[in-house]
Amino acid sequence: MGRSLNILGCGRVGRALGSLFVRHSIFSRVTVCNRTPESSRRAAAFVPKAKAVDSIAEMPPCDAWMIASADSAVQEAAQLLVAQQSLVEGNLVFHVSGAQSSEVLEPLRARGARLGSLHPVRSIASPELVVTSFTGTACAIEGDESARAELRTMVEAIGGKPFEVDSRAKMICHAGHVFASNYLVTVVDVARRLYEEAGIPVEVAETMLPPIVRGTVENVCALGTTEALTGPVVRGDASLVERQLSALSEVNPEIASLYRELVRHATVIAERRGHLPEEAVEALRRIQAGQGA
Ligand SMILES: NC(=O)c1ccc[n+]([C@@H]2O[C@H](COP(=O)([O-])OP(=O)(O)OC[C@H]3O[C@@H](n4cnc5c(N)ncnc54)[C@H](OP(=O)(O)O)[C@@H]3O)[C@@H](O)[C@H]2O)c1
């Protein structure tokens, strides 16, 4: 018969992981339940060997439950699940949220469930793309010992790279992902707004951004952040930093304040690289503190 998986909330991540688990023979039967029947049917059409049901009460007994609904709905899903007959002792129940730990599933422990979380560390916009390019994706795992062991085996089987994260550190680890992905995009958007402010035509800005962003990301990946940083801070050019900050304050004080904060963190990198004279570091610190070079 093979092992079976129930997916509560089968959106982008649910579709991607569900498909990978079936393709790699971890599970041979899948049942999905979303908020609306239409959405459940669309998800079941995507995941091989999957069928859709209209409510959690219709989900059959299974070996594992994956809760892949939005972060805010994980707790509610756990509360609904605790009342289901189909949940049986020894079931693995895991969610895929990066920010929450498996503690949110705690009510299910009294029903004999093994609790964990499996967070694929990548931006999943298209499940189609992820299914064909999952190999090497880091996956954070935490939870009960036996849940962790099973999740590790599952991740390895689909080509992922499992690593364990402490339940209490999950939120901070996720904040790192938010900076590496979401705020990277945000900072690039700030650059786009400054080009606009400088009167650069949109079509020119669109040709400028890809090479500078791609080149920077490639440098970070190839050299690491300490060696990849270029620009006035790492050159110790405090006078340029001060003039740039003053120009920015005139056109957009909010962006100037972001620039000032980033000078602080770029100075940390410059110090780590260890080639700047102490006076340059001091001047950058004074500018950062609003005291001028
Ligand atoms: N996308 C990413 O880059 C990414 C990466 C790693 C981890 N994650 C985590 O993965 C989880 C899901 O994210 P996603 O991007 O896959 O979201 P998504 O595409 O919006 O999918 C969420 C799914 O959950 C369903 N859902 C929401 N509330 C529900 C409820 N109360 N009961 C049943 N189903 C419910 C939705 O159903 P309907 O379609 O009917 O609305 C939808 O199918 C989140 O915890 C997120 O943090 C996301």
Side-chain angles (χ1 to χ4, degrees), residues 207-228:
T207 59
M208 280 198 303
L209 272 174
I212 193 170
V213 173
R214 243 182 241 125
T216 305
V217 170
E218 277 164 15
N219 285 343
V220 166
C221 296
L223 308 170
T225 49
T226 307
E227 294 305 319

mmCIF file with all atom_site columns, all heavy atoms in Angstrom, residues 207-228:
data_model
loop_
_atom_site.group_PDB
_atom_site.id
_atom_site.type_symbol
_atom_site.label_atom_id
_atom_site.label_alt_id
_atom_site.label_comp_id
_atom_site.label_asym_id
_atom_site.label_entity_id
_atom_site.label_seq_id
_atom_site.pdbx_PDB_ins_code
_atom_site.Cartn_x
_atom_site.Cartn_y
_atom_site.Cartn_z
_atom_site.occupancy
_atom_site.B_iso_or_equiv
_atom_site.pdbx_formal_charge
_atom_site.auth_seq_id
_atom_site.auth_comp_id
_atom_site.auth_asym_id
_atom_site.auth_atom_id
_atom_site.pdbx_PDB_model_num
ATOM 1   N N   . THR A 1 207 ? 17.980 48.695 -16.993 1.00 0.00 ? 207 THR A N   1
ATOM 2   C CA  . THR A 1 207 ? 19.167 48.032 -17.561 1.00 0.00 ? 207 THR A CA  1
ATOM 3   C C   . THR A 1 207 ? 20.345 48.099 -16.586 1.00 0.00 ? 207 THR A C   1
ATOM 4   O O   . THR A 1 207 ? 21.230 47.259 -16.613 1.00 0.00 ? 207 THR A O   1
ATOM 5   C CB  . THR A 1 207 ? 19.599 48.665 -18.910 1.00 0.00 ? 207 THR A CB  1
ATOM 6   O OG1 . THR A 1 207 ? 19.887 50.040 -18.672 1.00 0.00 ? 207 THR A OG1 1
ATOM 7   C CG2 . THR A 1 207 ? 18.542 48.529 -19.980 1.00 0.00 ? 207 THR A CG2 1
ATOM 8   N N   . MET A 1 208 ? 20.328 49.125 -15.686 1.00 0.00 ? 208 MET A N   1
ATOM 9   C CA  . MET A 1 208 ? 21.445 49.248 -14.729 1.00 0.00 ? 208 MET A CA  1
ATOM 10  C C   . MET A 1 208 ? 21.368 48.218 -13.611 1.00 0.00 ? 208 MET A C   1
ATOM 11  O O   . MET A 1 208 ? 22.383 47.687 -13.171 1.00 0.00 ? 208 MET A O   1
ATOM 12  C CB  . MET A 1 208 ? 21.400 50.635 -14.068 1.00 0.00 ? 208 MET A CB  1
ATOM 13  C CG  . MET A 1 208 ? 21.977 51.719 -14.919 1.00 0.00 ? 208 MET A CG  1
ATOM 14  S SD  . MET A 1 208 ? 22.386 53.183 -13.939 1.00 0.00 ? 208 MET A SD  1
ATOM 15  C CE  . MET A 1 208 ? 20.871 53.629 -13.146 1.00 0.00 ? 208 MET A CE  1
ATOM 16  N N   . LEU A 1 209 ? 20.146 47.972 -13.141 1.00 0.00 ? 209 LEU A N   1
ATOM 17  C CA  . LEU A 1 209 ? 20.009 47.151 -11.927 1.00 0.00 ? 209 LEU A CA  1
ATOM 18  C C   . LEU A 1 209 ? 20.455 45.689 -12.069 1.00 0.00 ? 209 LEU A C   1
ATOM 19  O O   . LEU A 1 209 ? 21.216 45.206 -11.231 1.00 0.00 ? 209 LEU A O   1
ATOM 20  C CB  . LEU A 1 209 ? 18.569 47.210 -11.404 1.00 0.00 ? 209 LEU A CB  1
ATOM 21  C CG  . LEU A 1 209 ? 18.279 48.359 -10.437 1.00 0.00 ? 209 LEU A CG  1
ATOM 22  C CD1 . LEU A 1 209 ? 16.799 48.424 -10.100 1.00 0.00 ? 209 LEU A CD1 1
ATOM 23  C CD2 . LEU A 1 209 ? 19.089 48.213 -9.156  1.00 0.00 ? 209 LEU A CD2 1
ATOM 24  N N   . PRO A 1 210 ? 20.006 44.963 -13.121 1.00 0.00 ? 210 PRO A N   1
ATOM 25  C CA  . PRO A 1 210 ? 20.358 43.528 -13.142 1.00 0.00 ? 210 PRO A CA  1
ATOM 26  C C   . PRO A 1 210 ? 21.858 43.240 -13.046 1.00 0.00 ? 210 PRO A C   1
ATOM 27  O O   . PRO A 1 210 ? 22.271 42.415 -12.219 1.00 0.00 ? 210 PRO A O   1
ATOM 28  C CB  . PRO A 1 210 ? 19.739 43.026 -14.458 1.00 0.00 ? 210 PRO A CB  1
ATOM 29  C CG  . PRO A 1 210 ? 18.613 43.988 -14.711 1.00 0.00 ? 210 PRO A CG  1
ATOM 30  C CD  . PRO A 1 210 ? 19.088 45.325 -14.213 1.00 0.00 ? 210 PRO A CD  1
ATOM 31  N N   . PRO A 1 211 ? 22.739 43.935 -13.844 1.00 0.00 ? 211 PRO A N   1
ATOM 32  C CA  . PRO A 1 211 ? 24.163 43.575 -13.717 1.00 0.00 ? 211 PRO A CA  1
ATOM 33  C C   . PRO A 1 211 ? 24.748 43.894 -12.345 1.00 0.00 ? 211 PRO A C   1
ATOM 34  O O   . PRO A 1 211 ? 25.538 43.112 -11.810 1.00 0.00 ? 211 PRO A O   1
ATOM 35  C CB  . PRO A 1 211 ? 24.855 44.427 -14.798 1.00 0.00 ? 211 PRO A CB  1
ATOM 36  C CG  . PRO A 1 211 ? 23.790 45.069 -15.596 1.00 0.00 ? 211 PRO A CG  1
ATOM 37  C CD  . PRO A 1 211 ? 22.480 44.930 -14.888 1.00 0.00 ? 211 PRO A CD  1
ATOM 38  N N   . ILE A 1 212 ? 24.325 45.026 -11.752 1.00 0.00 ? 212 ILE A N   1
ATOM 39  C CA  . ILE A 1 212 ? 24.928 45.394 -10.453 1.00 0.00 ? 212 ILE A CA  1
ATOM 40  C C   . ILE A 1 212 ? 24.430 44.440 -9.357  1.00 0.00 ? 212 ILE A C   1
ATOM 41  O O   . ILE A 1 212 ? 25.198 43.977 -8.509  1.00 0.00 ? 212 ILE A O   1
ATOM 42  C CB  . ILE A 1 212 ? 24.657 46.896 -10.115 1.00 0.00 ? 212 ILE A CB  1
ATOM 43  C CG1 . ILE A 1 212 ? 25.546 47.342 -8.959  1.00 0.00 ? 212 ILE A CG1 1
ATOM 44  C CG2 . ILE A 1 212 ? 23.242 47.197 -9.760  1.00 0.00 ? 212 ILE A CG2 1
ATOM 45  C CD1 . ILE A 1 212 ? 25.528 48.853 -8.723  1.00 0.00 ? 212 ILE A CD1 1
ATOM 46  N N   . VAL A 1 213 ? 23.130 44.080 -9.410  1.00 0.00 ? 213 VAL A N   1
ATOM 47  C CA  . VAL A 1 213 ? 22.586 43.184 -8.379  1.00 0.00 ? 213 VAL A CA  1
ATOM 48  C C   . VAL A 1 213 ? 23.162 41.769 -8.566  1.00 0.00 ? 213 VAL A C   1
ATOM 49  O O   . VAL A 1 213 ? 23.658 41.153 -7.608  1.00 0.00 ? 213 VAL A O   1
ATOM 50  C CB  . VAL A 1 213 ? 21.042 43.160 -8.438  1.00 0.00 ? 213 VAL A CB  1
ATOM 51  C CG1 . VAL A 1 213 ? 20.482 42.108 -7.487  1.00 0.00 ? 213 VAL A CG1 1
ATOM 52  C CG2 . VAL A 1 213 ? 20.468 44.524 -8.096  1.00 0.00 ? 213 VAL A CG2 1
ATOM 53  N N   . ARG A 1 214 ? 23.126 41.287 -9.823  1.00 0.00 ? 214 ARG A N   1
ATOM 54  C CA  . ARG A 1 214 ? 23.630 39.927 -10.079 1.00 0.00 ? 214 ARG A CA  1
ATOM 55  C C   . ARG A 1 214 ? 25.101 39.806 -9.705  1.00 0.00 ? 214 ARG A C   1
ATOM 56  O O   . ARG A 1 214 ? 25.522 38.859 -9.044  1.00 0.00 ? 214 ARG A O   1
ATOM 57  C CB  . ARG A 1 214 ? 23.464 39.597 -11.569 1.00 0.00 ? 214 ARG A CB  1
ATOM 58  C CG  . ARG A 1 214 ? 22.529 38.439 -11.772 1.00 0.00 ? 214 ARG A CG  1
ATOM 59  C CD  . ARG A 1 214 ? 22.376 38.066 -13.228 1.00 0.00 ? 214 ARG A CD  1
ATOM 60  N NE  . ARG A 1 214 ? 20.998 38.210 -13.611 1.00 0.00 ? 214 ARG A NE  1
ATOM 61  C CZ  . ARG A 1 214 ? 20.545 38.939 -14.609 1.00 0.00 ? 214 ARG A CZ  1
ATOM 62  N NH1 . ARG A 1 214 ? 21.374 39.599 -15.387 1.00 0.00 ? 214 ARG A NH1 1
ATOM 63  N NH2 . ARG A 1 214 ? 19.267 39.015 -14.855 1.00 0.00 ? 214 ARG A NH2 1
ATOM 64  N N   . GLY A 1 215 ? 25.880 40.814 -10.129 1.00 0.00 ? 215 GLY A N   1
ATOM 65  C CA  . GLY A 1 215 ? 27.322 40.783 -9.846  1.00 0.00 ? 215 GLY A CA  1
ATOM 66  C C   . GLY A 1 215 ? 27.575 40.754 -8.347  1.00 0.00 ? 215 GLY A C   1
ATOM 67  O O   . GLY A 1 215 ? 28.437 40.016 -7.864  1.00 0.00 ? 215 GLY A O   1
ATOM 68  N N   . THR A 1 216 ? 26.799 41.542 -7.591  1.00 0.00 ? 216 THR A N   1
ATOM 69  C CA  . THR A 1 216 ? 26.990 41.597 -6.140  1.00 0.00 ? 216 THR A CA  1
ATOM 70  C C   . THR A 1 216 ? 26.636 40.266 -5.495  1.00 0.00 ? 216 THR A C   1
ATOM 71  O O   . THR A 1 216 ? 27.387 39.736 -4.662  1.00 0.00 ? 216 THR A O   1
ATOM 72  C CB  . THR A 1 216 ? 26.113 42.730 -5.539  1.00 0.00 ? 216 THR A CB  1
ATOM 73  O OG1 . THR A 1 216 ? 26.424 43.943 -6.213  1.00 0.00 ? 216 THR A OG1 1
ATOM 74  C CG2 . THR A 1 216 ? 26.348 42.885 -4.061  1.00 0.00 ? 216 THR A CG2 1
ATOM 75  N N   . VAL A 1 217 ? 25.499 39.700 -5.915  1.00 0.00 ? 217 VAL A N   1
ATOM 76  C CA  . VAL A 1 217 ? 25.078 38.416 -5.321  1.00 0.00 ? 217 VAL A CA  1
ATOM 77  C C   . VAL A 1 217 ? 26.097 37.326 -5.671  1.00 0.00 ? 217 VAL A C   1
ATOM 78  O O   . VAL A 1 217 ? 26.463 36.505 -4.823  1.00 0.00 ? 217 VAL A O   1
ATOM 79  C CB  . VAL A 1 217 ? 23.652 38.046 -5.794  1.00 0.00 ? 217 VAL A CB  1
ATOM 80  C CG1 . VAL A 1 217 ? 23.296 36.625 -5.389  1.00 0.00 ? 217 VAL A CG1 1
ATOM 81  C CG2 . VAL A 1 217 ? 22.625 39.023 -5.210  1.00 0.00 ? 217 VAL A CG2 1
ATOM 82  N N   . GLU A 1 218 ? 26.598 37.365 -6.908  1.00 0.00 ? 218 GLU A N   1
ATOM 83  C CA  . GLU A 1 218 ? 27.609 36.363 -7.291  1.00 0.00 ? 218 GLU A CA  1
ATOM 84  C C   . GLU A 1 218 ? 28.865 36.520 -6.442  1.00 0.00 ? 218 GLU A C   1
ATOM 85  O O   . GLU A 1 218 ? 29.460 35.534 -6.009  1.00 0.00 ? 218 GLU A O   1
ATOM 86  C CB  . GLU A 1 218 ? 27.951 36.489 -8.779  1.00 0.00 ? 218 GLU A CB  1
ATOM 87  C CG  . GLU A 1 218 ? 26.943 35.743 -9.644  1.00 0.00 ? 218 GLU A CG  1
ATOM 88  C CD  . GLU A 1 218 ? 27.005 36.142 -11.109 1.00 0.00 ? 218 GLU A CD  1
ATOM 89  O OE1 . GLU A 1 218 ? 28.002 36.771 -11.524 1.00 0.00 ? 218 GLU A OE1 1
ATOM 90  O OE2 . GLU A 1 218 ? 26.026 35.828 -11.819 1.00 0.00 ? 218 GLU A OE2 1
ATOM 91  N N   . ASN A 1 219 ? 29.264 37.789 -6.190  1.00 0.00 ? 219 ASN A N   1
ATOM 92  C CA  . ASN A 1 219 ? 30.448 38.015 -5.343  1.00 0.00 ? 219 ASN A CA  1
ATOM 93  C C   . ASN A 1 219 ? 30.221 37.502 -3.923  1.00 0.00 ? 219 ASN A C   1
ATOM 94  O O   . ASN A 1 219 ? 31.103 36.878 -3.330  1.00 0.00 ? 219 ASN A O   1
ATOM 95  C CB  . ASN A 1 219 ? 30.790 39.511 -5.280  1.00 0.00 ? 219 ASN A CB  1
ATOM 96  C CG  . ASN A 1 219 ? 31.437 39.983 -6.566  1.00 0.00 ? 219 ASN A CG  1
ATOM 97  O OD1 . ASN A 1 219 ? 31.914 39.178 -7.359  1.00 0.00 ? 219 ASN A OD1 1
ATOM 98  N ND2 . ASN A 1 219 ? 31.437 41.282 -6.783  1.00 0.00 ? 219 ASN A ND2 1
ATOM 99  N N   . VAL A 1 220 ? 29.012 37.756 -3.385  1.00 0.00 ? 220 VAL A N   1
ATOM 100 C CA  . VAL A 1 220 ? 28.704 37.283 -2.021  1.00 0.00 ? 220 VAL A CA  1
ATOM 101 C C   . VAL A 1 220 ? 28.810 35.751 -1.991  1.00 0.00 ? 220 VAL A C   1
ATOM 102 O O   . VAL A 1 220 ? 29.394 35.171 -1.070  1.00 0.00 ? 220 VAL A O   1
ATOM 103 C CB  . VAL A 1 220 ? 27.289 37.743 -1.582  1.00 0.00 ? 220 VAL A CB  1
ATOM 104 C CG1 . VAL A 1 220 ? 26.838 36.994 -0.336  1.00 0.00 ? 220 VAL A CG1 1
ATOM 105 C CG2 . VAL A 1 220 ? 27.274 39.242 -1.319  1.00 0.00 ? 220 VAL A CG2 1
ATOM 106 N N   . CYS A 1 221 ? 28.242 35.103 -3.030  1.00 0.00 ? 221 CYS A N   1
ATOM 107 C CA  . CYS A 1 221 ? 28.237 33.628 -3.039  1.00 0.00 ? 221 CYS A CA  1
ATOM 108 C C   . CYS A 1 221 ? 29.646 33.076 -3.230  1.00 0.00 ? 221 CYS A C   1
ATOM 109 O O   . CYS A 1 221 ? 30.009 32.063 -2.643  1.00 0.00 ? 221 CYS A O   1
ATOM 110 C CB  . CYS A 1 221 ? 27.306 33.101 -4.130  1.00 0.00 ? 221 CYS A CB  1
ATOM 111 S SG  . CYS A 1 221 ? 25.597 33.565 -3.831  1.00 0.00 ? 221 CYS A SG  1
ATOM 112 N N   . ALA A 1 222 ? 30.442 33.756 -4.063  1.00 0.00 ? 222 ALA A N   1
ATOM 113 C CA  . ALA A 1 222 ? 31.783 33.218 -4.362  1.00 0.00 ? 222 ALA A CA  1
ATOM 114 C C   . ALA A 1 222 ? 32.804 33.587 -3.285  1.00 0.00 ? 222 ALA A C   1
ATOM 115 O O   . ALA A 1 222 ? 33.676 32.785 -2.952  1.00 0.00 ? 222 ALA A O   1
ATOM 116 C CB  . ALA A 1 222 ? 32.264 33.745 -5.717  1.00 0.00 ? 222 ALA A CB  1
ATOM 117 N N   . LEU A 1 223 ? 32.694 34.799 -2.711  1.00 0.00 ? 223 LEU A N   1
ATOM 118 C CA  . LEU A 1 223 ? 33.753 35.290 -1.825  1.00 0.00 ? 223 LEU A CA  1
ATOM 119 C C   . LEU A 1 223 ? 33.354 35.397 -0.366  1.00 0.00 ? 223 LEU A C   1
ATOM 120 O O   . LEU A 1 223 ? 34.209 35.519 0.502   1.00 0.00 ? 223 LEU A O   1
ATOM 121 C CB  . LEU A 1 223 ? 34.204 36.694 -2.290  1.00 0.00 ? 223 LEU A CB  1
ATOM 122 C CG  . LEU A 1 223 ? 34.590 36.850 -3.766  1.00 0.00 ? 223 LEU A CG  1
ATOM 123 C CD1 . LEU A 1 223 ? 34.777 38.318 -4.115  1.00 0.00 ? 223 LEU A CD1 1
ATOM 124 C CD2 . LEU A 1 223 ? 35.882 36.082 -4.046  1.00 0.00 ? 223 LEU A CD2 1
ATOM 125 N N   . GLY A 1 224 ? 32.029 35.416 -0.104  1.00 0.00 ? 224 GLY A N   1
ATOM 126 C CA  . GLY A 1 224 ? 31.549 35.676 1.268   1.00 0.00 ? 224 GLY A CA  1
ATOM 127 C C   . GLY A 1 224 ? 31.398 37.183 1.464   1.00 0.00 ? 224 GLY A C   1
ATOM 128 O O   . GLY A 1 224 ? 31.982 37.982 0.729   1.00 0.00 ? 224 GLY A O   1
ATOM 129 N N   . THR A 1 225 ? 30.615 37.579 2.471   1.00 0.00 ? 225 THR A N   1
ATOM 130 C CA  . THR A 1 225 ? 30.294 38.999 2.646   1.00 0.00 ? 225 THR A CA  1
ATOM 131 C C   . THR A 1 225 ? 31.538 39.843 2.972   1.00 0.00 ? 225 THR A C   1
ATOM 132 O O   . THR A 1 225 ? 31.649 40.987 2.527   1.00 0.00 ? 225 THR A O   1
ATOM 133 C CB  . THR A 1 225 ? 29.255 39.189 3.771   1.00 0.00 ? 225 THR A CB  1
ATOM 134 O OG1 . THR A 1 225 ? 29.680 38.449 4.913   1.00 0.00 ? 225 THR A OG1 1
ATOM 135 C CG2 . THR A 1 225 ? 27.874 38.726 3.350   1.00 0.00 ? 225 THR A CG2 1
ATOM 136 N N   . THR A 1 226 ? 32.475 39.283 3.731   1.00 0.00 ? 226 THR A N   1
ATOM 137 C CA  . THR A 1 226 ? 33.633 40.093 4.156   1.00 0.00 ? 226 THR A CA  1
ATOM 138 C C   . THR A 1 226 ? 34.438 40.572 2.949   1.00 0.00 ? 226 THR A C   1
ATOM 139 O O   . THR A 1 226 ? 34.856 41.724 2.879   1.00 0.00 ? 226 THR A O   1
ATOM 140 C CB  . THR A 1 226 ? 34.544 39.269 5.107   1.00 0.00 ? 226 THR A CB  1
ATOM 141 O OG1 . THR A 1 226 ? 33.733 38.759 6.151   1.00 0.00 ? 226 THR A OG1 1
ATOM 142 C CG2 . THR A 1 226 ? 35.653 40.114 5.695   1.00 0.00 ? 226 THR A CG2 1
ATOM 143 N N   . GLU A 1 227 ? 34.629 39.697 1.964   1.00 0.00 ? 227 GLU A N   1
ATOM 144 C CA  . GLU A 1 227 ? 35.424 40.070 0.799   1.00 0.00 ? 227 GLU A CA  1
ATOM 145 C C   . GLU A 1 227 ? 34.586 40.709 -0.300  1.00 0.00 ? 227 GLU A C   1
ATOM 146 O O   . GLU A 1 227 ? 35.110 41.404 -1.167  1.00 0.00 ? 227 GLU A O   1
ATOM 147 C CB  . GLU A 1 227 ? 36.155 38.831 0.226   1.00 0.00 ? 227 GLU A CB  1
ATOM 148 C CG  . GLU A 1 227 ? 37.206 38.246 1.156   1.00 0.00 ? 227 GLU A CG  1
ATOM 149 C CD  . GLU A 1 227 ? 38.235 39.282 1.595   1.00 0.00 ? 227 GLU A CD  1
ATOM 150 O OE1 . GLU A 1 227 ? 38.673 40.099 0.761   1.00 0.00 ? 227 GLU A OE1 1
ATOM 151 O OE2 . GLU A 1 227 ? 38.580 39.298 2.796   1.00 0.00 ? 227 GLU A OE2 1
ATOM 152 N N   . ALA A 1 228 ? 33.260 40.477 -0.279  1.00 0.00 ? 228 ALA A N   1
ATOM 153 C CA  . ALA A 1 228 ? 32.420 40.967 -1.386  1.00 0.00 ? 228 ALA A CA  1
ATOM 154 C C   . ALA A 1 228 ? 32.096 42.451 -1.271  1.00 0.00 ? 228 ALA A C   1
ATOM 155 O O   . ALA A 1 228 ? 31.753 43.089 -2.272  1.00 0.00 ? 228 ALA A O   1
ATOM 156 C CB  . ALA A 1 228 ? 31.119 40.163 -1.450  1.00 0.00 ? 228 ALA A CB  1
#
